[in-house]
Amino acid sequence: MRSYTPVRFTDVAIEGRFWRERLETVLTRTIPSQYELLRETGILESLTIPVPPPPLRIPPGAHGLSMQVFWDSDVGKWIESASYVLAHRRDTQTEARIDEITDWLAQAQLPDGYLNCWYIGREPDKRWTNLRDRHELYNAGHLLEGALAYFQATGRRRLLDILCRYVDHIAEVFGPGPGQKRGYCGHQEIELALMKLYRATGTRKYLELAAYFINERGHTAPHYFDVEARARGEDPAAYWFSTYEYSQSHMPVRQQRTVVGHAVRAMYMYSAMADLAAELADDSLKQTCERLWDHVTTKRMYVTAGIGPSSSNEGFTQDYDLPNETAYAETCASVALIFWAQRMLHLDNDGRYADVLETALYNGALSGLSRDGTHYFYQNPLASDGSHVRWKWHPCPCCTMNVSRLVASVGGYFYSVGSDAVAVHLYGSSSTSLTLGERTVRLRQESDYPWSGSVKISIDPDAPTRFTLKLRIPGWARSASVKVQGQELPTPEVQRGYIELDRTWQAGDVVELELPMPVERVHANPLVQADVGRVALRRGPLLYCVEQIDHPQATLGLLRLPRDSALNAVTRADLFDGIVTVVAEAGEAGAGAAAAPLYANRPFDTRPATLTAIPYFLWNNRGPNRMQVWLPEI
Amino acid sequence: MRSYTPVRFTDVAIEGRFWRERLETVLTRTIPSQYELLRETGILESLTIPVPPPPLRIPPGAHGLSMQVFWDSDVGKWIESASYVLAHRRDTQTEARIDEITDWLAQAQLPDGYLNCWYIGREPDKRWTNLRDRHELYNAGHLLEGALAYFQATGRRRLLDILCRYVDHIAEVFGPGPGQKRGYCGHQEIELALMKLYRATGTRKYLELAAYFINERGHTAPHYFDVEARARGEDPAAYWFSTYEYSQSHMPVRQQRTVVGHAVRAMYMYSAMADLAAELADDSLKQTCERLWDHVTTKRMYVTAGIGPSSSNEGFTQDYDLPNETAYAETCASVALIFWAQRMLHLDNDGRYADVLETALYNGALSGLSRDGTHYFYQNPLASDGSHVRWKWHPCPCCTMNVSRLVASVGGYFYSVGSDAVAVHLYGSSSTSLTLGERTVRLRQESDYPWSGSVKISIDPDAPTRFTLKLRIPGWARSASVKVQGQELPTPEVQRGYIELDRTWQAGDVVELELPMPVERVHANPLVQADVGRVALRRGPLLYCVEQIDHPQATLGLLRLPRDSALNAVTRADLFDGIVTVVAEAGEAGAGAAAAPLYANRPFDTRPATLTAIPYFLWNNRGPNRMQVWLPEI
């Protein structure tokens, strides 16, 4: 059912300064520093079974659990990130590190294939007794993704073989057959990992296991998590989270109409559902995905494509409940939204999926990683009183490796290939070599995107070839012009977010796309109470914000943007690695407000002020700072 | 130092329909229903020592404590409220109930005078070991206030004698002398109760004990709560609330410059401080009170005079942090603010204190009681999605009896007497008889306040008498006109909130005050992020709000008020007992917003709508309802 296949990041050379710099930072700083922290915090050591497990070094987390039950997944995500690095450049030290981890895992693995270091080391008699809370299958999924990435980067299959033995064991334990457990994981993840494994190996039982987990989820006669709670001697009604909406297991997935619960769990599950819909041509799953997509993107998503406003469930609350300063908007959730968006895009070839993918990539996800590559946000609020700062590590370091694996593989989101078409989804200098039927086509893109909307694409087939070149016209673009071989096309038609150029392409062909990038005001739906009377600023795919540091003369919360004020894009070579800022004449309300009364019977005065906004993803890279995305409009 | 003394509510006959109706409801419905609930919930039964204590009926509250440690205070506050009823009209059933409680307390009291039913019944060996958390002295204070009120209403002193024996015991246990404990209560209350006892009896040791508790508070070499925690074998650093700001014991009271911590604790303490400042002519305490007053009223108070925005400490957070929907703004805190405001008013005779008193009375406090007199708000938010509703009772029923004792004694806030002056602070039909030197002066006020600003005051001294009649000109009034004997005064001068009419008054003199009451927009200081771009509506002392039920055609959150829209006061005989509503032509933003995208590059459309606002204190008297005080202005 997938008419397009993404071009793997390994086949895309990132050449533009925007992503090149970030990629370089992740390769040289992020991945090595993550390894050091995995070692320092005892996470790596926890794999060295059968050495007696060390005392827990991290205070027990919520619900009496240590974060240690998730540690296998952290290692799996680091292996995946590091393997993406190896795909860019081989590195014997990183390979040695992964091989050492592989040794530990090989030693830990039980004869039947079981491989969860927490349970093997600490509670060997309790495995598979608490799928609801203990992340066993989730850990398996991340280790599997890591093993696959390592195999794909290096061709070494020892780690993958270990994981395949584990998956084979899981396939024996779980399923609808006699003697099998009718369970599934409280934290979805293994489903999408199994789909990756299926696509890499073609082995259908992996797809079937993924389908089983998805199809079984949320059946309630009785609910599996109730059954296993009773088996543990617990009252299911005493469930610490109280509702299975938390893990999207409150009803069978095809009946789900609203995005609820823990955001990352939801996104990982929807990703697997989209994979299954594509591989099985399952219309009911596809329609479910589409409904859920509509719901989250029209009712429950920040303008940054952050999702999940609440810290209490790390997830969704009510429609239009999008508070700014307390926004949870976990980095992982935006990264996972990108995973899902890419799958939806390939299921349906509609630019609206790419629009959200791009918004999340440049805003809600990228904000999670500092410019120096070694500091992180877990939460990505849209306003801050200065107390929200990046950290070097976290007791639950999921976001660190999620953002690094995203950046390390960002090239994989640029291009897709169909049977007689090539689609360009993202812009920025890069080159790739595609196989289109029997032809090889080299594409080279030159663009300073996202700072500029001018894109030049050189097409270089090994022989003249007829195919459709699909160029995405982003949702933010009010207009677009296209030249082919220097000839401007008359009013190119945009179909579902793309312009289609169907012709016989030959070496030396050049397409030029011009996407004007004025700074624009974004208005939120009036039902979003948090944004009433406010506007956000956007230029191209980038959302902007104001930081206190750029406004030494004004109090950030008092800045007001007149509705008719001109919004100027100003290039600043001196800021970061050279960025485009937005500068506008604005006002500062209530000059001397701190000395003024709390309430008055007439509006407070406003004095002139200049507003300087920077891209949202760059905030808090100059120390603690007050910040706002949504600006009061006057 | 007090140049004015409030006229007790027992000497003021409330005749106007506004307060008459509410008083009647409290007398006939609230007080009896509270008694029934005290019985049903086991609170009364907990006093029947030495019967073995019954099993706890209420689940343990926070920090492993049962709410039961506060129960003596609930009984004390009910006795106080019920005694205020008895002051209005004798009632043998209520008296019998209080006498029965007195029997129980007499039986429970230990030979040394100690009287705390929790400790006597459950932990007799642990008394005075946890002043920080266990409310022993707080309970004593409320029982004492109740005993005093009962004595003043009936002349019966048996309960007061019991409490005086307890206070004598407390005065032996606590103090700076050898062998005494240098402690004070974690929840202030006894201090103001002791000041009442001092004023009622003239016994100076009660004043000295109150002064000791205030002066000792917050000294840190070492901190008393640390000392007693160590004596209990606990680490003081493990204090569940983590900061002594919670109980305003983080530093000596005279060093305190900002209102912090639990709001009710703060208000009760400041009330006692103002009492002490007056009785001891203590300028340092007076100045401390004034600084704290300025801080709370210019930085940390809702427009309703609700205070304490946060549920986590039931108290204060940061300057200008005044969220609307999550506002805690406990009923008790506004009631206690009224207590403090009245004391400040009599310390300094400045109308700004009366302005806050009146705002709290008609808004933040009165909203805590339903029209039927038997349902309550603990929190008083300024916006609601419909989920915030009044309850019949609460595991911690403090607010119920705080609002009933306020309403039952509301007449006590109307008038004050000075050496040669009479001050009128509140308006509304009422009459009183005052002693001014050797003369008796009857005052009779006729006014439909707060619905109308027309006030007629008849002055009837028993012989022609020269004195100054001070008439308060509320802060909300933009103008005022005064007639004496039908003659309009030329531009009366307002001094610190009052007009002063100094003349020889004789029987039959009539003063007419006209306070125009247009509906006005209130603007919040721009530093209040929650109210940016919004206005509130006020008419006279009443803040208004919109409820969904009055807007069947519109979505409440979408209502927008144009800046130039006329605001009309419309009397509605059909609503409640006849009220004045505010009606304005307004707009509904984003018609069809629920079907619209989440974000757009131009403002959403607005269609015409009519806005109808009701007084804030009346909200949620017609079932669950969405509600907003602050309206987006366009």
Side-chain angles (χ1 to χ4, degrees), chain A residues 301 478 523 593 599-601, chain B residues 301 478 523 525 598-601:
Chain A
M301 186 178 76
R478 301 283 144 252
H523 300 260
Y599 304 103
N601 68 328
Chain B
M301 186 178 76
R478 301 283 146 252
H523 300 260
N525 189 302
L598 201 41
Y599 304 103
N601 68 329

Side-chain angles (χ1 to χ4, degrees), chain B residues 76-94:
Chain B
K77 279 215 296 254
W78 181 77
I79 293 173
E80 185 183 350
S81 300
S83 299
Y84 292 168
V85 172
L86 296 175
H88 290 286
R89 62 178 72 138
R90 299 297 290 263
D91 164 3
T92 53
Q93 188 187 41
T94 301

